[in-house]
Amino acid sequence: MRTPPLLVMGAGTLSLLTLGHMAAAQSPACQTSLDIDVPAECETIPVTHPVDGLGNFRQLTTPDNGIKPNLLFRSDQLDELSEDAVSELTAIGIETIVDLRSHEELETHPNTRLDTVSFDVNLPIGSDPADIAKIMPVEVAAQIRPLWFDGKFDEIDQLLDDHNVDLPQVRIDRYRDFATKFDPQVSRFLHLLTDDQNFPLLFHCAGGKDRTGYLAAVTLLTLGYSEQDVMRDYLTTNLYTFDELEQLVGKGPQSLQPAFGAHSEQIQASLQTITDKHGSFEAYRRDVLGISDAEVQMIRQNLLIQN
C-alpha cells in the first residue's frame, strides 16, 4: 500500500483538443458504498486525467460550464513530472503557476520547470495540512508510521484516542485558519486573476485538495457562483482521487479518515467562518481581501463566458 498523505513527515472537464486522448468517464465514486462525500449530481461530472502522474489536475467544476476553457487550472504538486506530463502541460501553454505550499515544501519537493511559464508565484498558506508532525504530538506521530506499515490500524485508533487527538476538530480548525490567517496570500491570488496576461494560470498545493480547495472556493464565489457550486467543485476531488481513497478509507484506520479525501464539513467551516466574522463573502472580499467591485468585474471578464 502506498504511503498515505498524512504520513508524509515534514512536507507534505478538460476541453483542450490537444489533450483529447484521455476520454472522460464517470467516476466509480458515484456508486461507491465507501463513507466518502461525493458532489451533487455526481454522474454528470466527467473525470479525465489528461496529465501523466497528476491525479487531481483539472479546471474548476461548474454546473453551467460557464468558465472559459483552458485558462484556469487547479492541481496537485508538480515535483515529479514525467516527460509526457511536461509535454502535456507545455501544450496548454501555462503562463503562471501559483504554488500554495510552504517554503519547506518547496525546498523538499521543488516543481519541475515548464518552459512556457514566465511568472512563478509562491503564496504559502501554511504547512501541508497532511503533515502529521504539525497536527499531533511528535511522539504520537512517530508511532503511527510503523503501525501503518504493519497494518495495525486498531492500534492507531487506540493510540490517538489515548492521546486525545481529535483529528476531525484539527481539520476543521485548519480550514477556519484558511479564512482568517492568510488574507494577504488570498488577496494576491485574486489580484493575479484581474490581469489577462497571467493566463493560462495553474494553482496548486501538495495534493490539490485543501489549500487549493479553499482558493478555488474563493474564486468561484468571486465569479458569482453559489456555495453549492463551491461544494460541487470541492468534492470533485473525491472523484479524481477515488483509487487512492479506496485504499485509505476502505482499508485504513478509522481515526485517520478525516485527513483522507475532501469532507464537506471542512470547506463549510471556512465558508461559515467568513460569514460569522464578516457577515457575507462580499464584505470579506471587499474589506479584508481588498478586491473592489471594479476588480471583480475584471476577473469575471477574464474568466467567464459572456452570454
Side-chain angles (χ1 to χ4, degrees):
M1 182 184 298
R2 134 179 209 191
T3 304
L6 186 69
L7 301 185
V8 178
M9 299 289 190
T13 58
L14 286 178
S15 61
L16 192 64
L17 295 179
T18 56
L19 300 181
H21 63 284
M22 297 295 291
Q26 183 187 110
S27 172
C30 296
Q31 289 82 37
T32 186
S33 60
L34 289 180
D35 185 19
I36 62 172
D37 292 342
V38 297
E41 301 179 348
C42 180
E43 295 82 2
T44 69
I45 303 175
V47 174
T48 63
H49 291 97
V51 178
D52 182 53
L54 293 182
N56 202 14
F57 172 87
R58 65 186 196 269
Q59 298 184 69
L60 270 65
T61 310
T62 61
D64 63 352
N65 295 317
I67 298 178
K68 294 177 184 177
N70 312 318
L71 287 186
L72 187 61
F73 300 88
R74 51 176 296 174
S75 182
D76 36 341
Q77 65 190 21
L78 314 175
D79 62 321
E80 294 182 348
L81 298 183
S82 67
E83 290 185 9
D84 286 344
V86 171
S87 296
E88 288 154 356
L89 288 171
T90 300
I92 298 173
I94 300 295
E95 175 72 21
T96 303
I97 290 180
V98 179
D99 193 331
L100 307 175
R101 297 176 299 161
S102 67
H103 298 305
E104 178 184 7
E105 291 173 88
L106 267 64
E107 291 178 0
T108 307
H109 300 284
N111 280 342
T112 304
R113 174 67 186 171
L114 300 177
D115 289 340
T116 61
V117 174
S118 61
F119 197 14
D120 204 331
V121 186
N122 179 215
L123 301 177
I125 300 185
S127 61
D128 185 355
D131 183 352
I132 192 172
K134 299 289 197 306
I135 61 179
M136 62 183 66
V138 174
E139 64 273 14
V140 177
Q143 296 177 64
I144 287 180
R145 190 178 179 89
L147 290 174
W148 175 278
F149 286 109
D150 288 341
K152 298 178 179 180
F153 297 152
D154 289 343
E155 293 186 28
I156 292 176
D157 292 338
Q158 188 61 54
L159 177 67
L160 296 188
D161 185 61
D162 290 345
H163 287 83
N164 298 313
V165 176
D166 186 352
L167 192 55
Q169 189 59 52
V170 169
R171 296 287 296 172
I172 291 293
D173 290 344
R174 185 70 171 100
Y175 271 74
R176 288 174 175 157
D177 286 348
F178 291 158
T180 56
K181 295 185 177 180
F182 305 100
D183 299 335
Q185 293 93 321
V186 179
S187 173
R188 175 63 172 149
F189 178 77
L190 289 180
H191 277 103
L192 289 171
L193 302 185
T194 66
D195 187 344
D196 62 4
Q197 298 301 305
N198 290 332
F199 301 101
L201 182 149
L202 182 153
F203 63 105
H204 74 93
C205 53
K209 171 172 64 76
D210 299 312
R211 294 168 286 185
T212 298
Y214 181 70
L215 265 293
V218 170
T219 300
L220 287 170
L221 292 171
T222 300
L223 290 173
Y225 286 94
S226 68
E227 290 192 2
Q228 289 78 16
D229 297 328
V230 164
M231 189 65 71
R232 183 178 188 268
D233 176 71
Y234 175 72
L235 294 180
T236 295
T237 282
N238 290 344
L239 310 189
Y240 274 73
T241 62
F242 181 68
D243 288 348
E244 185 175 75
L245 289 177
E246 276 194 300
Q247 299 298 315
L248 298 177
V249 176
K251 301 178 182 179
Q254 183 71 29
S255 56
L256 296 182
Q257 289 188 12
F260 303 149
H263 296 260
S264 56
E265 68 272 13
Q266 293 178 10
I267 192 65
Q268 187 57 50
S270 295
L271 302 178
Q272 190 61 53
T273 297
I274 290 172
T275 300
D276 291 345
K277 289 182 64 67
H278 309 292
S280 67
F281 175 78
E282 287 71 24
Y284 166 71
R285 180 264 300 166
R286 182 185 61 246
D287 300 334
V288 177
L289 302 182
I291 304 297
S292 68
D293 293 347
E295 288 170 319
V296 169
Q297 292 308 310
M298 295 168 67
I299 295 172
R300 293 181 179 181
Q301 181 174 345
N302 286 339
L303 289 174
L304 293 181
I305 295 172
Q306 304 300 316
N307 296 322

